[in-house]
Amino acid sequence: MNYFSLNNREHTSNFENAVVRGLAPDKGLYFPQKIQKLPKYFFSNIQSMDKTEIAFEAIKNYVGDEISDSALKDIIADTLDFDFPVVDVEKNVGSLELFHGPTLAFKDVGARFMAGSLGYFIKKGKLGNITVLVATSGDTGGAVANGFLGVEGIDVVILYPKGKVSEIQEKQLTTLGQNIVALEVDGAFDQCQDMVKRAFLDDEIQQKRQLTSANSINVARWLPQMFYYFLAYKQLANNDRKLAFSVPSGNFGNICAGLLAREMGLPIDHFIASNNANNVVTRYLTNGNYQPKASVQTISNAMDVGNPSNFVRVLELFQNEFGNLKEHLSSYSFDDLATKMTIKEVFDKTGYVMDPHGAIGYLGLQEFLKQNKDYYGIFLETAHPVKFLDTVEEAIGQKVAIPDSIEGIIHKEKKSHQISDYDELKSYLLS
C-alpha cells in the first residue's frame, strides 16, 4: 500500500516510511492511495471471527507485505488484549466502552499498534534511535507513554498544556520515567501541536534526532481506530435497525477512522461528530465555512482542539464535496453545563456513569435521534469516568470507584520539564 501527502499527491510513501516519518516532508498528512472494499462474506462471517482475525482483515491492505502476517497478527493481538463491550444504556441507545485498556482510554489501541509497528521496523531495518514527539490534550500522552514504555530504540517526548489536563491524566504521562519525558507547556493544546509540527520541519533538529509523531496524524495511530467499529458491529450484527455512531470529536482521528471503515463496506448508516465548545466542524456543517479558531478550555479537555488535524482526511474521504459529507455526517456542540447535567440525568435515570466526553457523545446522539427515530444509536465512551474524578463525582453526587491501575500511580511524584515556547523545545531536543 502506498500513501500520498494531502498537500501534494505527487509525493508518495510506503507504510513503513509513513509510520517512521509521521508527516510528509511538505507537512501534509499521509492518506492511502486506495481504499479497498471488504468482501461481503467478511461481514456475513464476522460473528464467528475473533478480535484479532477481524482487525487483521480490516487493516492488512494498509500494511501490505511490509509486516509479515504472523508479526502483524501478534501486534494486533497485543493491541486488542482487552474488551470493547457495547452496553445497553436505554432503549435503542448503547455505549461502546473503549476504556478497558491499560490507561483507561480509547487511545490505548492506536498507541499500542503504533508501538508494535515501529518496534518491528526498528528491528528489521536497524533504523537506530527514534524520538517519538507527541502533543496531548489529555489521553494521548498517557496511552503513548504506556504503549512505548521500555521499547528498545525509542525515546518519547510528550508535550501537554499546563493546567489543562486532569490530575490522573497528568500522572499517567509524568510518572513512568525510563524512556518517557514530559514537557509541560505554558499554553493551550493547539500551541503544543503547532510546536510539534514545527519541530518536524526543523533541519537542525532532524540532523540531531530521527523524529516521528504518535498523534493521530500518524497512520499507525489513525488507522487502527477503525477496529472499534468492526468490533462493535460484531456485537450489533443481529440488530434490525439502522446504525448511527456518535463520536466525541477533538482532533477527528477517531471519527475519521470510522468513516474509513464505512467506506470499506462496514454497514454504518450515519456518523455524528459531537463537539464541546470547540465547534469548528459543527459550524462548518451549518454554514459551509471552515474557520479554525483558538481552542477554549472545557471539562471535556481531550476535545479542546481549535483546528482539528484529521478533518482534512475526512474531507478527502468525501472528495471535498460538501453535500456528500453532510449526507453522512452530522455535528452538534454542547457546553460544560449541558455536559454536567447530562452526566447527572443519565446516572439518575439508568445508573450508568459517563465521563464528560461520553456525555458529549450521548448528547449528540440524542439530537440526531430526535429526527431519526428508526436508528439504533451508539455513543463512544472514550475514557473511564475516574479520569475526570472531580467533575463526575460532583455531577452524580457520589464517589467513583478507583481502579487498581490508577491507585498505583496517583501518589507517585510528577516529573516534568516546563517550557513556554518553541525555542525551549528546540533547545531540549538538541541537548
Side-chain angles (χ1 to χ4, degrees):
M1 168 64 75
N2 278 340
Y3 296 79
F4 63 87
S5 167
L6 286 172
N7 283 350
N8 176 12
R9 292 170 183 268
E10 298 302 313
H11 171 78
T12 61
S13 166
N14 64 7
F15 179 71
E16 177 178 345
N17 182 66
V19 173
V20 172
R21 291 194 64 93
L23 279 172
D26 58 15
K27 205 176 178 180
L29 273 64
Y30 283 114
F31 194 87
Q33 285 190 324
K34 183 179 180 182
I35 298 172
Q36 189 166 318
K37 296 280 189 183
L38 289 165
K40 290 184 179 179
Y41 68 78
F42 169 78
F43 299 104
S44 301
N45 296 329
I46 196 168
Q47 288 184 294
S48 65
M49 301 167 70
D50 64 27
K51 289 183 293 186
T52 298
E53 291 170 328
I54 292 169
F56 175 76
E57 293 298 323
I59 206 165
K60 67 179 183 181
N61 288 327
Y62 298 100
V63 177
D65 60 2
E66 296 178 58
I67 299 177
S68 69
D69 286 357
S70 61
L72 181 57
K73 287 177 181 178
D74 287 344
I75 291 169
I76 291 169
D78 182 64
T79 295
L80 301 180
D81 189 25
F82 46 92
D83 294 328
F84 301 83
V86 175
V87 177
D88 287 329
V89 174
E90 53 194 43
K91 186 178 180 181
N92 294 325
V93 173
S95 167
L96 173 56
E97 293 186 345
L98 303 178
F99 55 72
H100 295 280
T103 71
L104 310 184
F106 79 101
K107 295 181 179 180
D108 281 325
V109 166
R112 286 155 73 93
F113 184 85
M114 182 182 169
S117 299
L118 194 55
Y120 178 89
F121 292 137
I122 287 173
K123 290 177 182 176
K124 184 185 83 168
K126 299 179 181 178
L127 298 175
N129 276 18
I130 290 177
T131 297
V132 174
L133 183 63
V134 62
T136 184
S137 57
D139 287 325
T140 293
V144 168
N146 182 276
F148 284 89
L149 182 65
V151 177
E152 187 177 350
I154 297 178
D155 296 316
V156 179
V157 179
I158 303 168
L159 281 70
Y160 72 99
K162 181 178 181 179
K164 295 180 173 64
V165 302
S166 75
E167 180 184 1
I168 288 173
Q169 287 174 324
E170 186 174 40
K171 286 294 181 75
Q172 285 183 320
L173 61 96
T174 61
T175 60
L176 292 177
Q178 295 188 49
N179 59 327
I180 312 296
V181 172
L183 302 182
E184 190 174 0
V185 178
D186 189 12
F189 168 74
D190 291 335
Q191 291 167 267
C192 299
Q193 184 163 254
D194 288 344
M195 289 162 68
V196 167
K197 289 180 178 179
R198 187 173 170 186
F200 277 89
L201 300 175
D202 193 315
D203 290 338
E204 194 175 354
I205 293 174
Q206 292 290 349
Q207 291 173 11
K208 174 80 173 182
R209 290 180 183 252
Q210 186 174 194
L211 295 180
T212 191
S213 172
N215 285 96
S216 55
I217 57 176
N218 193 302
V219 294
R221 265 284 322 275
W222 167 50
L223 290 170
Q225 293 177 110
M226 73 172 80
F227 297 163
Y228 315 140
Y229 302 95
F230 287 99
L231 297 178
Y233 178 74
K234 175 182 177 178
Q235 300 171 67
L236 298 165
N238 291 326
N239 174 70
D240 59 359
R241 300 171 74 90
K242 292 193 285 187
L243 295 177
F245 277 72
S246 177
V247 185
S249 298
N251 227 2
F252 276 71
N254 192 346
I255 195 167
C256 186
L259 289 163
L260 177 66
R262 180 190 173 279
E263 186 67 19
M264 294 164 60
L266 187 64
I268 298 176
D269 299 280
H270 200 80
F271 280 87
I272 301 110
S274 297
N275 293 166
N276 58 22
N278 297 282
N279 58 0
V280 59
V281 172
T282 302
R283 290 184 288 113
Y284 170 69
L285 289 175
T286 300
N287 59 29
N289 182 23
Y290 188 78
Q291 192 169 21
K293 63 177 184 178
S295 62
V296 296
Q297 186 173 357
T298 73
I299 59 173
S300 48
N301 63 284
M303 299 155 60
D304 291 351
V305 183
N307 187 14
S309 293
N310 282 287
F311 194 63
V312 66
R313 283 180 171 140
V314 174
L315 293 174
E316 179 64 27
L317 278 168
F318 290 93
Q319 296 81 47
N320 287 280
E321 294 180 5
F322 183 72
N324 189 19
L325 177 62
K326 279 205 69 166
E327 183 180 348
H328 298 102
L329 178 68
S330 302
S331 185
Y332 310 95
S333 65
F334 307 93
D335 61 19
D336 282 352
L337 179 59
T339 306
K340 292 176 184 177
M341 289 177 60
T342 296
I343 294 172
K344 173 176 172 51
E345 288 170 2
V346 171
F347 177 74
D348 288 346
K349 183 169 61 174
T350 69
Y352 191 78
V353 182
M354 299 186 294
D355 92 297
H357 304 79
I360 294 279
Y362 174 89
L363 281 164
L365 180 60
Q366 291 297 327
E367 283 297 314
F368 176 78
L369 292 177
K370 286 177 184 178
Q371 305 297 325
N372 300 274
K373 299 185 184 300
D374 55 338
Y375 278 78
Y376 183 86
I378 301 96
F379 67 93
L380 272 57
E381 183 54 91
T382 54
H384 194 291
V386 76
K387 301 191 80 169
F388 307 92
L389 204 57
D390 293 343
T391 297
V392 174
E393 289 184 343
E394 179 185 353
I396 68 175
Q398 57 183 265
K399 293 289 185 182
V400 174
I402 298 179
D404 291 342
S405 61
I406 298 299
E407 285 281 10
I409 66 163
I410 202 164
H411 300 297
K412 286 187 175 181
E413 180 184 358
K414 161 190 161 183
K415 293 182 180 179
S416 67
H417 302 272
Q418 303 217 4
I419 64 172
S420 58
D421 56 30
Y422 177 74
D423 288 340
E424 290 182 272
L425 170 62
K426 181 172 181 175
S427 177
Y428 176 80
L429 292 175
L430 292 176
S431 62

